[in-house]
Amino acid sequence: MSMPDITAAALEDFSERGERLTLAVLERVIARDPKLLNRFSEPRIQIALSAAQKGYGETGDEDLGALLANLVSEMISEPVRTHREQLLRQCVDLAPKLSLLQLNGIAVVARLTLKYYPNIVDPQTLLGALDEGLRPYYGSIPSDYLEYEYMQALGVWSERQVTAEAFGGKYTAYTVIHGSHRHSMCKPFRLDELPPEIVIAELAGLIQLTSPDSDLHLPSPALADDILESKRRDGFMGASREKKELTSRDRFADFVRKRSIDEDEFESVAKDSFPELAEFLETLTTSGALRFRLGAVGMMLADQELAIRDPEGKAPMSGYFVIDTNVNNGSRESGTSTTDD
């Protein structure tokens, strides 16, 4: 085969891929709002579309094509020169410079540092939810710290300047999860274990059985904020303890927190009950992935990756904890919401 023939074949592949990507963008825009098709006449959209066509056309990678089509269609829905439009355009330029494993690494860091389960109060259920959410990424993220540094150079994130290691402590994947889910570390208890100063009748709605045929109880999700507040009452982070008459609810929150498992125990539960998850979390720790804090571009990429993997999802990452109210000690509820970090 002659060089002109090889060149012609490459150009044909490139052109055909560009057409496929354009059709994918059109499908997404029409599904959102057909009136947005008028924006294809705007130079900014044509420039972004050309960049996406080039990025996908060079490799033909279908995962990259889906991501770029999402990014361009989202950009078309944005007015000119908004913050979100600028981020989307930057992601269009950046996405082809990232491998699938690197994009997965961004998504995993986002899920571990921005995703939050307020309705889970015990470690076993929390680990089960994490195992379900992270399983698609097992064995599919970078294990080399240099790859994470490369992503930092692209502007995906910045390295955390101070972690617990600087003060002689640990900073692992378990540190991150345990620190953001202190209300999920509760050990089951029997009612006769409660201190006598706690009036059980005053705890309506704050205690639930672990199962109908068990005498073991757990606090309800409604106590999550109180558990965190009980830590502050003990002088957490140097906060002064206000002198006040503690209610049964306050005392119950103190009781629950003081018998919660620590980080080392949490790690042991993970290794015993969810060995594949534990191995994955070890990879995240040893690779240094969690030493990085996602910036706006990284969160946007994670947001779009989540949209591709879960098209029915309604809670974007962008700058917020994703509160998952669908998991509540093994049961399912409907609806998601977001809250400020």
Side-chain angles (χ1 to χ4, degrees):
M1 196 173 187
S2 66
M3 184 58 67
D5 290 337
I6 293 173
T7 302
L11 288 173
E12 184 179 351
D13 283 346
F14 183 85
S15 177
E16 190 269 336
R17 290 167 182 172
E19 290 176 5
R20 285 212 309 270
L21 186 130
T22 302
L23 286 173
V25 173
L26 285 169
E27 289 174 358
R28 287 160 169 77
V29 172
I30 291 171
R32 179 187 292 268
D33 183 357
K35 294 179 182 177
L36 292 173
L37 290 173
N38 293 329
R39 293 190 176 175
F40 276 90
S41 64
E42 298 177 16
R44 68 185 179 106
I45 301 303
Q46 287 299 316
I47 292 172
L49 181 59
S50 295
Q53 289 171 332
K54 179 178 181 293
Y56 173 59
E58 289 178 352
T59 65
D61 183 276
E62 296 302 328
D63 293 306
L64 175 61
L67 176 60
L68 288 169
N70 269 21
L71 290 167
V72 174
S73 61
E74 287 281 332
M75 183 180 165
I76 290 171
S77 70
E78 287 294 316
V80 64
R81 291 187 63 75
T82 64
H83 177 58
R84 182 174 170 81
E85 187 233 27
Q86 291 170 327
L87 285 177
L88 287 162
R89 178 55 205 274
Q90 191 169 349
C91 288
V92 169
D93 294 334
L94 186 61
K97 300 175 183 177
L98 294 164
S99 70
L100 177 59
L101 264 62
Q102 289 165 352
L103 286 166
N104 285 346
I106 293 168
V108 167
V109 171
R111 285 169 182 260
L112 276 185
T113 58
L114 302 176
K115 196 172 180 65
Y116 179 62
Y117 298 92
N119 287 349
I120 297 179
V121 294
D122 68 292
Q124 198 80 19
T125 304
L126 175 62
L127 288 164
L130 290 169
D131 183 51
E132 180 182 359
L134 296 174
R135 180 164 291 275
Y137 304 99
Y138 289 0
S140 299
I141 62 170
S143 57
D144 189 339
Y145 185 74
L146 290 177
E147 291 201 53
Y148 294 102
E149 280 195 324
Y150 166 73
M151 288 186 272
Q152 179 184 10
L154 292 179
V156 169
W157 47 34
S158 58
E159 190 166 10
R160 297 175 186 272
Q161 297 301 307
V162 178
T163 67
E165 289 177 310
F167 302 95
K170 293 196 307 180
Y171 187 74
T172 69
Y174 299 102
T175 308
V176 174
I177 300 167
H178 189 278
S180 62
H181 288 82
R182 293 184 183 276
H183 65 284
S184 304
M185 302 296 149
C186 306
K187 293 180 185 176
F189 58 88
R190 295 188 307 275
L191 293 182
D192 59 14
E193 294 181 82
L194 293 175
E197 60 269 23
I198 295 178
V199 181
I200 296 178
E202 296 178 4
L203 302 180
L206 298 179
I207 299 178
Q208 58 190 19
L209 283 168
T210 57
S211 65
D213 56 350
S214 171
D215 66 343
L216 293 176
H217 295 72
L218 282 168
S220 72
L223 197 72
D225 289 341
D226 299 71
I227 294 172
L228 298 178
E229 178 60 31
S230 71
K231 183 96 177 172
R232 287 188 283 271
R233 281 200 301 272
D234 281 353
F236 179 54
M237 297 294 288
S240 60
R241 177 169 182 158
E242 295 182 6
K243 292 183 178 180
K244 66 172 186 176
E245 187 66 31
L246 296 183
T247 65
S248 288
R249 182 178 181 129
D250 295 328
R251 296 182 187 282
F252 180 50
D254 285 337
F255 166 79
V256 168
R257 185 187 60 75
K258 288 175 180 176
R259 55 176 286 122
S260 295
I261 67 172
D262 61 24
E263 184 182 327
D264 291 335
E265 292 174 299
F266 181 57
E267 182 175 350
S268 295
V269 174
K271 290 179 177 178
D272 291 342
S273 302
F274 298 92
E276 289 179 283
L277 172 64
E279 183 179 351
F280 183 71
L281 295 179
E282 179 67 18
T283 298
L284 280 171
T285 298
T286 56
S287 68
L290 294 171
R291 293 178 179 275
F292 295 91
R293 185 192 304 276
L294 281 162
V297 172
M299 284 189 282
M300 181 62 74
L301 287 169
D303 192 9
Q304 296 304 314
E305 191 278 342
L306 179 63
I308 292 171
R309 213 173 269 276
D310 179 21
E312 300 301 318
K314 304 197 187 307
M317 293 284 185
S318 309
Y320 297 93
F321 272 121
V322 176
I323 294 189
D324 192 337
T325 58
N326 290 332
V327 184
N328 187 1
N329 297 319
S331 65
R332 296 280 178 182
E333 298 176 357
S334 61
T336 57
S337 60
T338 57
T339 187
D340 289 329
D341 182 348

